[in-house]
Amino acid sequence: MDTKLFVVNDINDEGDIKKIEECAGIIKNGGLVAFPTETVYGLGGNALDDKASMKIYSAKGRPSDNPLIVHIADMSELEPLVKEIPDIAKKLAKLYWPGPLTMIFKKSDLVPYKTTGGLDTVAVRMPSHKVAREFIRKSGLPIAAPSANVSGRPSPTTAKHVMDDLDGRIDAVIDGGQVDIGLESTIIDVSSDVPMLLRPGFITMEMLEEAAGDVERDPTLTKGVSKGLKPKAPGMMYRHYAPKGDMAIVEGAMEDVIARINHLAGEHNASETAVITTTDNKDKYTGCRVFCIGDRNDDETIAKELYAVLREMDDYSIKYIYVESFKNGKHGEAIMNRLVKAAGHKIIHV
Ligand code: TXA
Ligand code: MG
């Protein structure tokens, strides 16, 4: 299959609108189009067509019991997809939609089980990215879209990442430049009495509690996954976001962290070893490749650059990766949730 690439910069430009319309046509005909959202690129298909959902699983190499998020552009599109809209969901939608928040509802009969991985609930999100909204509107359909990466790889934050993973496997990609946020949406389950955070993201626990009162955390977020403890979001089970190399997070007082990483790096070949660090520390490492993802005080940038840096580890065939901990900022929970998984839970305390 030939994957078409459409560069779209301006949804008010006639040429760009034509491109979006062509992509909307692909969706209406049962095809797959990757598109930018404010979080990460999504791989879109008609959410109401079980064949389109099957194509998504197959293009990503994703297990079909891992449900897809359904994307809408307007509040009126929510009602047909769900059994009920709890008051808490209305409040959250008012505050954070359109935006990087996904809510889990009891699904209506309209939504095929193939889209929800066999579950009686459906995940819905209204993205704020202008191109995404225009694309959904022009499609006239709710769009099922997981992150547009091959299953297990870091989520794509540029169209190039999407092409690297899915060229030849999908009909088209809309290139809207680098995304803003860089981590997937926050997921909150509003289908039972007490709302539960299933995946941390840009909308923090504090922001959710402000609107919804008490919010629980899925126990696996703090205790990890084990035989008796499974995450409510099936996708949180899988190894994720991971580069091929051996990765470890080094945590502790900064001087000790730097000393330990330099020591560990000294045990390996410099060209195959990397440290992921911030501007203030980047000149303190020797004997390895240094990847700087921004200023430690600016964790929005750290979030935005994280997946691109993880992908670079593979581009440079890095075998040993050491990364500083970023748990202290506003977005620390979301960043560390991804990093800890990417590192296969390997944390070195110094
Ligand atoms: O920011 C995002 O959410 C991006 C962009 C493209 O919108 N999408 C995304 O989709 O991250 P994906 O498929 O990579 O992650 C969806 C997560 C998975 O962990 C999945 O198991 C969970 O949402 N999920 C989907 N439907 C669910 C449901 N009904 N109940 C529980 N978890 C669900
Ligand atoms: Mg994903």
Side-chain angles (χ1 to χ4, degrees):
M1 180 189 293
D2 200 24
T3 301
K4 288 187 182 163
L5 184 64
F6 296 93
V7 177
V8 172
N9 298 310
D10 179 4
I11 57 158
N12 295 313
D13 176 87
E14 233 172 79
D16 282 4
I17 290 177
K18 284 239 163 66
K19 294 177 195 170
I20 295 178
E21 279 169 353
E22 185 170 345
C23 290
I26 296 174
I27 296 288
K28 287 185 207 163
N29 286 323
L32 303 187
V33 179
F35 63 101
T37 81
E38 70 279 18
T39 57
V40 299
Y41 274 74
L43 174 55
N46 176 0
L48 306 182
D49 173 3
D50 51 6
K51 287 194 200 77
S53 293
M54 293 307 287
K55 277 192 196 169
I56 291 177
Y57 293 120
S58 136
K60 272 180 69 81
R62 171 172 177 142
S64 59
D65 62 354
N66 187 4
L68 308 174
I69 296 177
V70 178
H71 295 65
I72 59 174
D74 288 291
M75 208 53 196
S76 61
E77 294 162 48
L78 176 62
E79 217 168 58
L81 302 173
V82 304
K83 277 229 164 90
E84 56 185 351
I85 306 176
D87 286 342
I88 281 184
K90 287 180 191 151
K91 265 194 193 164
L92 288 168
K94 209 166 186 188
L95 274 173
Y96 302 125
W97 274 6
L101 179 70
T102 296
M103 291 193 263
I104 310 279
F105 299 88
K106 295 195 176 92
K107 83 171 194 72
S108 73
D109 294 338
L110 191 64
V111 184
Y113 278 108
K114 289 275 187 278
T115 300
T116 67
L119 298 177
D120 288 315
T121 52
V122 59
V124 185
R125 173 162 117 75
M126 188 194 293
S128 63
H129 196 290
K130 284 195 182 124
V131 174
R133 293 169 67 71
E134 200 54 30
F135 171 55
I136 299 167
R137 285 216 180 95
K138 290 266 190 291
S139 302
L141 289 162
I143 295 188
S147 49
N149 51 297
V150 161
S151 215
R153 294 258 289 154
S155 292
T157 54
T158 64
K160 179 181 181 297
H161 295 161
V162 178
M163 288 300 267
D164 286 348
D165 279 17
L166 298 176
D167 191 10
R169 301 167 81 152
I170 61 177
D171 297 287
V173 177
I174 302 177
D175 181 350
Q178 185 183 6
V179 301
D180 262 352
I181 293 178
L183 298 179
E184 305 83 350
S185 61
T186 303
I187 303 180
I188 184 168
D189 185 347
V190 293
S191 71
S192 38
D193 290 343
V194 183
M196 187 185 275
L197 174 73
L198 305 190
R199 179 173 74 183
F202 193 81
I203 306 292
T204 63
M205 189 66 165
E206 291 66 37
M207 291 161 82
L208 295 173
E209 281 180 331
E210 230 167 76
D214 275 349
V215 178
E216 289 179 351
R217 272 190 179 83
D218 185 301
T220 60
L221 289 178
T222 42
K223 294 184 188 137
V225 176
S226 62
K227 242 191 174 170
L229 204 58
K230 293 216 156 58
K232 219 169 165 185
M236 299 291 277
M237 280 266 287
Y238 299 102
R239 185 165 184 254
H240 251 89
Y241 324 117
K244 295 195 183 97
D246 202 9
M247 180 165 160
I249 300 166
V250 186
E251 218 168 75
M254 202 40 87
E255 288 160 41
D256 300 337
V257 167
I258 293 164
R260 178 65 70 90
I261 291 177
N262 275 326
H263 178 80
L264 289 165
E267 293 173 356
H268 310 294
N269 187 330
S271 65
E272 294 176 343
T273 308
V275 59
I276 300 175
T277 180
T278 52
T279 21
D280 34 339
N281 290 340
K282 68 178 177 15
D283 298 325
K284 298 178 184 158
Y285 293 100
T286 51
C288 59
R289 292 179 187 265
V290 177
F291 292 82
C292 177
I293 54 172
D295 194 308
R296 181 160 284 280
N297 299 318
D298 173 12
D299 67 353
E300 289 190 10
T301 303
I302 293 173
K304 184 168 166 168
E305 299 300 330
L306 183 66
Y307 286 144
V309 167
L310 292 181
R311 279 176 177 262
E312 277 187 288
M313 297 300 115
D314 290 348
D315 298 343
Y316 287 91
S317 306
I318 303 290
K319 286 198 181 138
Y320 305 95
I321 305 156
Y322 301 103
V323 51
E324 295 172 1
S325 174
F326 302 109
K327 67 178 179 190
N328 289 332
K330 179 175 177 202
H331 298 293
E333 180 174 11
I335 294 170
M336 292 311 286
N337 172 267
R338 295 355 181 240
L339 259 190
V340 167
K341 279 196 189 169
H345 296 268
K346 198 160 161 199
I347 304 177
I348 300 169
H349 295 276
V350 294

